[in-house]
Amino acid sequence: METLSLLWGGFCFGLMLQLAIGPVFLLVAHTSVMVGWVQTFPLIAAVALADAIYIALSSFGASAVLLRPKVQRYARIVGAVVLGVFGVNLLLSAFGMNVLPNVRLFQVGAEDGLFKQGLLLTLSNPLTLIFWGATLSGKVAREGWDTLGLILFGCGCVLSTLVFLTAVAGLGSLLRTDFDPSWVGPLNGFVGASLIYFGLRMAFGKLMQASDLPE
């Protein structure tokens, strides 16, 4: 029963986080509308894998490295550039242009690059590692979990990513059946502009300090 409780707790906690609309949500929704539900699975699997990697690193205290202002600043710049390239490429595609025509990795909707896109987009956000580090250390301190408890909670969080994004992809796939091809340009423009916005917010947002994190 305790095992199920920890898994369920992690699932519910992760699900609450998934409800916040961000770059990954937009990318999954956009991709499913463009190429369909099944074809979006590699992207979803990559996002879940990236979450699992960050949770594992956080449990070993790796997030403390990013609390150093200089390290965090450089990491955020890299993440902002990644989001910016995705966003600009998608925004210009609405006008029939492409910034990096020969680089499939940044061509949103390119089915042969979806897994790599998911990994790159998720791992490029350094704040994710800081958040998981603060969350898991706080949970361990309050709940007195051992290593198994931490693993089970983390598995629940990753499972929530898989379930939620699969549902998003399913909804996107349903919308695809009535999707007018003339909407492709405006949709690409909207998602591209949104990714650029998230990139700018990452680049110029306030650096996180230890005092900002939950106890």
Side-chain angles (χ1 to χ4, degrees), residues 67-69 72 130 206-213:
L67 287 176
R68 300 172 185 174
Q72 186 182 150
I130 296 175
K206 176 179 177 289
L207 295 182
M208 295 185 69
Q209 308 294 330
S211 57
D212 299 326
L213 303 177

Side-chain angles (χ1 to χ4, degrees), residues 19-91:
L19 294 177
I21 295 179
V24 170
F25 175 94
L26 290 174
L27 186 62
V28 170
H30 177 271
T31 302
S32 62
V33 171
M34 293 293 103
V35 302
W37 189 27
V38 175
Q39 289 79 2
T40 308
F41 283 164
L43 174 61
I44 296 171
V47 173
L49 175 60
D51 277 351
I53 291 172
Y54 268 155
I55 290 173
L57 289 174
S58 298
S59 66
F60 290 107
S63 58
V65 176
L66 285 176
L67 287 176
R68 300 172 185 174
K70 191 172 183 179
V71 174
Q72 186 182 150
R73 191 175 293 110
Y74 283 127
R76 291 176 70 143
I77 289 173
V78 171
V81 169
V82 170
L83 280 174
V85 173
F86 270 114
V88 170
N89 209 40
L90 195 52
L91 180 61

Side-chain angles (χ1 to χ4, degrees), residues 138-195:
K139 290 282 187 182
V140 170
R142 287 193 300 272
E143 307 293 339
W145 291 340
D146 55 11
T147 302
L148 179 59
L150 188 59
I151 290 173
L152 290 172
F153 184 84
C155 287
C157 292
V158 173
L159 182 60
S160 73
T161 298
L162 288 170
V163 171
F164 181 78
L165 293 183
T166 298
V168 170
L171 179 59
S173 184
L174 289 175
L175 294 175
R176 186 171 185 262
T177 58
D178 298 317
F179 191 73
D180 191 316
S182 65
W183 299 346
V184 172
L187 178 62
N188 286 352
F190 169 74
V191 176
S194 298
L195 293 179

Side-chain angles (χ1 to χ4, degrees), residues 120-146:
L120 180 62
L121 195 66
T122 309
L123 292 176
S124 66
N125 185 357
L127 300 183
T128 304
L129 182 57
I130 296 175
F131 171 81
W132 281 119
T135 299
L136 295 179
S137 61
K139 290 282 187 182
V140 170
R142 287 193 300 272
E143 307 293 339
W145 291 340
D146 55 11

